[in-house]
């Protein structure tokens, strides 16, 4: 049974009332429920963590290396644009990693257009608000079904 770890970074606890025009009106519990429903429908299990503390997120990713986690879906919030530590932790994880954002980070302020995480993720889903969650879970499961080793540079430039 595939095990997917869904991770949320800072301020995503405020979904539902946080800038609904950008992020939609779904709460964190609702988007996690969407993701879990998609995973369970496919016979997989979804674990979840949201934190405002970067070290907590790093330690959860370290644990995921050996606790049976098969794939990671991560909406890192603003750490997406700033955290080389998070990038390095995700790079250590030996399975598919899907980067996820509710908003289209390329259609907003210029600082959001740079993700320091994308280079170590297998793919990126952004701009579909809550609808992105089931898509990200499906992408992770599809990569697992393909036997993807989560090595983001497999398909990258030589
Ligand atoms: C976000 C986009 C980030 O730029 C922002 O800092 C967030 C949410 C998104 O889901 O669209 O906190 O990751």
């Amino acid at each position: 049974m595939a095990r997917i770890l869904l991770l949320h970074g800072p301020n995503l606890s405020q979904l539902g009332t946080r800038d609904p025009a950008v992020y939609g009106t779904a709460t964190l519990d609702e988007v996690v429920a969407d993701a879990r429903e998609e995973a369970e429908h496919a016979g997989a299990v979804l674990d979840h963590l949201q934190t405002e503390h970067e070290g907590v997120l790093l330690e959860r990713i370290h644990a995921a290396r050996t606790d049976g986690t098969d794939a990671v879906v991560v909406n890192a919030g603003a750490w997406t644009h700033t955290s080389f530590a998070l990038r390095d932790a995700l790079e250590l994880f030996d399975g598919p990693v899907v980067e996820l954002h509710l908003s289209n980070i390329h259609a907003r302020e210029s600082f959001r257009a740079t993700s320091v995480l994308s280079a170590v993720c297998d793919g990126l889903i952004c701009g579909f608000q809550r609808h992105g969650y089931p898509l990200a879970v499906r992408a992770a499961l599809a990569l697992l079904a393909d036997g993807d080793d989560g090595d983001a540079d497999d398909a990258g430039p030589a």
Side-chain angles (χ1 to χ4, degrees):
M1 183 183 287
R3 207 168 189 104
I4 297 186
L5 175 61
L6 174 61
L7 296 172
H8 281 104
N11 301 311
L12 291 162
S13 55
Q14 305 304 302
L15 287 178
T17 54
R18 179 187 178 194
D19 206 346
V22 172
Y23 298 115
T25 54
T27 63
L28 181 64
D29 284 350
E30 288 169 337
V31 300
V32 173
D34 287 352
R36 182 162 285 127
E37 188 179 323
E38 188 70 27
E40 289 177 354
H41 185 69
V45 172
L46 187 120
D47 300 314
H48 174 247
L49 172 76
Q50 187 277 330
T51 180
E52 313 295 341
H53 303 279
E54 191 174 356
V56 171
L57 195 64
L58 298 177
E59 286 173 357
R60 185 65 189 89
I61 294 166
H62 297 165
R65 299 180 69 204
T66 55
D67 71 357
T69 299
D70 296 300
V72 170
V73 174
V74 57
N75 182 348
W79 292 330
T80 301
H81 318 297
T82 60
S83 179
F84 298 116
L86 179 54
R87 179 202 190 279
D88 288 350
L90 290 171
E91 191 172 27
L92 282 172
F93 177 75
D94 276 336
V97 179
V98 178
E99 180 180 351
L100 173 64
H101 302 283
L102 292 141
S103 65
N104 180 352
I105 58 173
H106 298 288
R108 302 182 60 197
E109 302 97 324
S110 58
F111 74 87
R112 293 187 203 276
T114 299
S115 165
V116 302
L117 310 182
S118 293
V120 296
C121 295
D122 288 80
L124 162 69
I125 293 170
C126 74
F128 300 108
Q129 295 189 349
R130 76 183 290 176
H131 307 300
Y133 282 78
L135 296 176
V137 168
R138 282 178 64 179
L141 291 172
L143 291 176
L144 286 173
D146 284 350
D148 185 271
D149 64 0
D151 196 345
D153 54 16
D154 275 359

